[in-house]
């Protein structure tokens, strides 16, 4: 694939800005509105920011990230001595569908937000949250007493979900992870793997006394009463990976990481 119009974005860190200056000297660049491909320099947090900006613009052009942050799970290795154009032509595309979160607050306000990694519900005070969970119109848990709960995509299953003892999902599994955060009752419930066609609804029980916030990746809404979550197939995103660092391979190998 030949990428003639490339945009270059970098996180505001010294390492990323130094890399940006180096690449600016080597290649020709265009504004993001005119780009057929975006190069993102930074870490996973910056990559999520770039992808959310694309969703807001309704602009689905491939993104090739290079890691100049901490973890860089969604990024490729930073290498300045390679022929970038040759590297891009060999890259493997991966399609990621975000979650769509719809929120209704206690006061009746309604909001919506996409999530590429996960949607999480979290208690706001020292008191545990009490949640009713419905899947596909059927109440599957009348009352979950917990610190919170999250729904993760396969691409996000190695992030917050994995830290909460949730399962790692293969990228092509067609599933979502429903994972409790510090469950108190039912104590032995450890979550579920659901088909990605599932429509999940959370209802906060005793919402005024036990307030809960809802977070779509990094965007938070407080004092929620109901939260609906489902895959949004109309806004797919495309990530590019070096063949030796393909996202599906990295997700599989993360299950054997011991560090």
């Amino acid at each position: 694939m030949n990428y003639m119009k490339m945009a270059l974005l970098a996180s505001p860190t010294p390492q990323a800005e130094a890399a940006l200056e180096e690449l600016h000297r080597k290649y020709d660049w265009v504004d993001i509105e005119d780009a057929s491909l975006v190069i993102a320099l930074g870490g996973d947090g910056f990559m999520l920011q770039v992808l959310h900006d694309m969703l807001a613009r309704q602009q689905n052009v491939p993104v090739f990230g290079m890691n100049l942050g901490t973890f860089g799970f969604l990024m490729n290795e930073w290498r300045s001595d390679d022929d970038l154009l040759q590297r891009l032509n060999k890259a493997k595309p991966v399609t990621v569908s975000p979650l769509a979160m719809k929120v209704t607050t206690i006061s009746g306000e309604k909001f919506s937000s996409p999530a590429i990694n996960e949607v999480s519900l979290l208690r706001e005070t020292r008191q545990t949250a009490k949640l009713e969970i419905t899947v596909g119109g059927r109440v599957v848990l009348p009352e979950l007493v917990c610190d919170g709960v999250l729904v993760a995509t396969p691409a996000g299953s190695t992030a917050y979900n994995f830290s909460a003892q949730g399962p790692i999902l293969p990228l092509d599994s067609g599933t979502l992870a429903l994972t409790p955060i510090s469950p108190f009752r039912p104590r032995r419930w450890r979550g579920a793997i659901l088909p990605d066609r599932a429509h999940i609804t959370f209802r906060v029980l005793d919402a005024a006394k036990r307030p809960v916030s809802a977070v779509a990746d990094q965007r938070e809404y407080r004092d929620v009463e109901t939260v609906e979550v489902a895959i949004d197939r109309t806004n797919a995103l495309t990530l590019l990976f070096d063949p030796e660092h393909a996202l599906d391979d990295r997700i599989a190998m993360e299950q054997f990481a011991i560090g």
Side-chain angles (χ1 to χ4, degrees):
M1 192 177 295
N2 188 17
Y3 300 107
M4 300 300 295
K5 296 182 178 181
M6 301 187 298
L8 182 62
L9 304 174
S11 65
T13 64
Q15 300 93 325
E17 290 182 349
L20 181 142
E21 291 183 9
E22 181 176 344
L23 291 180
H24 257 306
R25 294 192 297 266
K26 292 184 176 181
Y27 303 97
D28 295 325
W29 306 95
V30 301
D31 291 336
I32 189 169
E33 291 83 2
D34 301 319
S36 57
L37 178 138
V38 172
I39 304 294
L41 307 175
D44 285 341
F46 182 68
M47 173 61 87
L48 286 176
Q49 178 184 325
V50 170
L51 294 176
H52 276 279
D53 287 345
M54 289 194 146
L55 288 173
R57 294 168 181 264
Q58 296 185 329
Q59 181 183 17
N60 180 20
V61 299
V63 182
F64 184 87
M66 286 191 276
N67 185 29
L68 289 152
T70 304
F71 295 107
F73 188 80
L74 297 173
M75 316 296 279
N76 297 281
E77 181 184 357
W78 160 251
R79 297 200 298 267
S80 62
D81 56 348
D82 286 338
D83 185 335
L84 179 60
L85 299 181
Q86 184 178 10
R87 193 174 172 189
L88 291 172
N89 285 327
K90 292 180 180 179
K92 177 181 178 181
V94 173
T95 300
V96 175
S97 294
L99 295 167
M101 179 182 78
K102 296 181 180 179
V103 166
T104 303
T105 66
I106 296 173
S107 62
E109 293 181 285
K110 296 182 183 295
F111 302 96
S112 61
S113 186
I116 296 159
N117 273 358
E118 77 277 318
V119 168
S120 55
L121 279 71
L122 305 166
R123 66 185 176 104
E124 294 179 12
T125 68
R126 60 181 177 81
Q127 291 186 299
T128 55
K130 289 187 176 181
L131 307 172
E132 176 193 83
I133 303 178
T134 300
V135 177
R138 175 185 176 186
V139 176
V140 293
L141 268 182
E143 184 181 83
L144 172 64
V145 183
C146 57
D147 281 354
V149 67
L150 62 86
V151 180
T153 66
S157 66
T158 60
Y160 190 8
N161 170 71
F162 191 42
S163 297
Q165 309 300 313
I168 293 179
L169 305 175
L171 198 62
D172 60 355
S173 63
T175 58
L176 301 172
L178 176 61
T179 302
I181 303 168
S182 300
F184 178 74
R185 191 173 60 243
R187 191 178 298 273
R188 295 185 179 180
W189 187 65
R190 291 294 178 263
I193 297 175
L194 302 174
D196 63 6
R197 65 179 180 276
H199 187 285
I200 307 162
T201 302
F202 302 96
R203 185 167 68 92
V204 181
L205 307 177
D206 205 0
K209 182 180 178 182
R210 299 171 181 268
V212 169
S213 66
V215 184
D217 285 343
Q218 299 157 347
R219 186 161 189 177
E220 181 182 22
Y221 302 89
R222 296 181 70 83
D223 301 332
V224 302
E225 188 169 62
T226 61
V227 178
E228 299 177 49
V229 181
I231 283 284
D232 181 5
R233 302 188 190 281
T234 65
N235 284 311
L237 298 162
T238 303
L239 303 180
L240 294 174
F241 291 93
D242 291 322
E244 67 272 21
H245 291 292
L247 184 58
D248 48 358
D249 295 333
R250 300 180 77 176
I251 288 175
M253 292 309 299
E254 190 71 12
Q255 298 175 81
F256 301 96
I258 57 175

